[in-house]
Amino acid sequence: EIVLTQSPGTLSLSPGERATLSCRASQSVSSGYLAWYQQKPGQAPRLLIYGASSRATGIPDRFSGSGSGTDFTLTISRLEPEDFAVYYCQQYGNSPFTFGPGTKVDIK
Amino acid sequence: QLQLQESGPGLVKPSETLSLTCTVSGGSISSSGYYWGWIRQPPGKGLEWIGNIYYSGSTYYNPSLKSRVTISVDTSKNQFSLKLRSVTAADTAVYYCARTSSWAGKNWFDPWGQGTLVTVSS
């Protein structure tokens, strides 16, 4: 099973700032098969990024993903008020599919 | 627009079986190219994939839960279901259903249902 580690656990930033979230895998993720999700309190996760760097339908271009192998990054170029949430990475290159523990982005 | 909705009891007694149904609307569960999955999230914690099913009935499960889980599909009702046997307090979670792809390398989850909280308690 591939274990995903996310850092930092919490990121405290102000609107307009840049957010950089890390997801590290215990072994190489096949062909960059990694997704990112955003979850707000009381809501289901929403797909942001798949294939490590492809934005899902309707996702603003301030969200971008990068990385390969074992190290992946989600970047939010300029935080909007609605971006404060918890972000999860998920690998789907190997079964069982696994999720990281999440990074909370909160308002500084 | 495809929508998924979970339903089922919100309270289950320890050692009993948790049963949930996901109803798909705005599209057919029999569409080729898609699997349908269950994911859960204990309160305040992260996400755990439970298993997926194809409309033909083909399934694959997380080994950590495989011995207690059965996922089934009813194409006539456009629904798929989850049964988790011998539950304990550790199975208390929000349970989500979601769509994923049948193609290797495309197994992200999108869209998701709103989730339903199941509490295991006597």
Side-chain angles (χ1 to χ4, degrees):
Chain A
E1 171 175 324
I2 295 178
V3 176
L4 300 178
T5 304
Q6 292 187 244
S7 61
T10 302
L11 194 53
S12 296
L13 295 168
S14 301
E17 290 194 295
R18 181 184 187 90
T20 302
L21 289 66
S22 173
C23 177
R24 180 162 292 176
S26 61
Q27 57 187 277
S28 183
V29 176
S30 304
S31 303
Y33 292 155
L34 188 115
W36 289 93
Y37 301 85
Q38 176 193 68
Q39 186 177 36
K40 297 179 181 179
Q43 296 185 18
R46 177 176 70 142
L47 178 70
L48 298 176
I49 300 286
Y50 61 89
S53 60
S54 297
R55 273 188 302 276
T57 302
I59 301 304
D61 61 6
R62 64 180 180 273
F63 290 92
S64 63
S66 62
S68 63
T70 60
D71 291 302
F72 299 86
T73 300
L74 174 69
T75 302
I76 311 170
S77 58
R78 293 173 310 279
L79 282 164
E80 297 288 341
E82 62 268 29
D83 299 336
F84 292 93
V86 179
Y87 293 84
Y88 294 96
C89 55
Q90 177 223 341
Q91 68 79 23
Y92 50 90
N94 290 81
S95 184
F97 307 133
T98 51
F99 294 84
T103 289
K104 182 179 182 180
V105 179
D106 65 13
I107 300 176
K108 186 174 182 180
Chain B
Q1 179 185 359
L2 189 76
Q3 293 186 315
L4 295 86
Q5 178 69 58
E6 306 87 352
S7 60
L11 182 64
V12 180
K13 290 182 168 57
S15 81
E16 295 191 345
T17 296
L18 178 160
S19 297
L20 296 174
T21 295
C22 181
T23 301
V24 178
S25 59
S28 173
I29 202 169
S30 300
S31 297
S32 62
Y34 295 108
Y35 267 78
W36 305 89
W38 288 98
I39 303 105
R40 70 180 183 177
Q41 184 173 36
K45 296 187 178 180
L47 299 156
E48 180 180 33
W49 171 67
I50 300 171
N52 293 347
I53 190 165
Y54 198 57
Y55 75 92
S56 63
S58 174
T59 56
Y60 58 111
Y61 300 125
N62 190 326
S64 69
L65 295 167
K66 186 176 182 178
S67 64
R68 297 194 292 131
V69 170
T70 300
I71 299 175
S72 58
V73 63
D74 186 337
T75 56
S76 67
K77 295 182 179 179
N78 228 31
Q79 295 175 335
F80 62 106
S81 298
L82 169 70
K83 290 190 185 299
L84 180 65
R85 296 175 290 278
S86 304
V87 297
T88 69
D91 295 309
T92 294
V94 175
Y95 285 77
Y96 295 100
C97 57
R99 186 184 71 174
T100 184
S101 175
S102 63
W103 294 97
K106 294 188 177 183
N107 305 116
W108 57 82
F109 294 97
D110 182 55
W112 296 55
Q114 66 183 32
T116 188
L117 174 63
V118 179
T119 301
V120 178
S121 176
S122 56

